[in-house]
Amino acid sequence: MEGIYGTERELADGSKVKVDDEYLKESIVNPNAKVVKGYGPAMPAYPQLSDAQLQALVDYIKSLK
């Protein structure tokens, strides 16, 4: 995850997405919504996280530079 925030990733369907807060939150809650090219849908979903917990994870990922 180091340095991923703010980059652009190609998805399995050929589209591209910017790694921002909304993308990270969606990927944590529903990891199969937008799968990065080269990866299979293998991550478990974490829909039971509170908004504060979800934001804390996003903030942590953003801090990995």
Side-chain angles (χ1 to χ4, degrees):
M1 293 282 168
E2 187 175 335
I4 195 171
Y5 190 85
T7 63
E8 186 174 87
R9 298 291 182 205
E10 184 175 355
L11 302 179
D13 67 3
S15 64
K16 294 186 179 185
V17 65
K18 183 174 181 180
V19 179
D20 59 12
D21 286 27
E22 293 307 312
Y23 171 75
L24 290 172
K25 288 176 183 179
E26 179 183 33
S27 294
I28 293 166
V29 175
N30 184 10
N32 296 325
K34 295 177 182 163
V35 178
V36 173
K37 184 176 182 178
Y39 291 89
M43 293 296 297
Y46 293 97
Q48 68 276 11
L49 296 174
S50 70
D51 289 340
Q53 291 170 318
L54 192 55
Q55 188 61 52
L57 284 171
V58 170
D59 290 343
Y60 173 71
I61 293 168
K62 288 167 68 171
S63 76
L64 301 174
K65 298 180 179 176

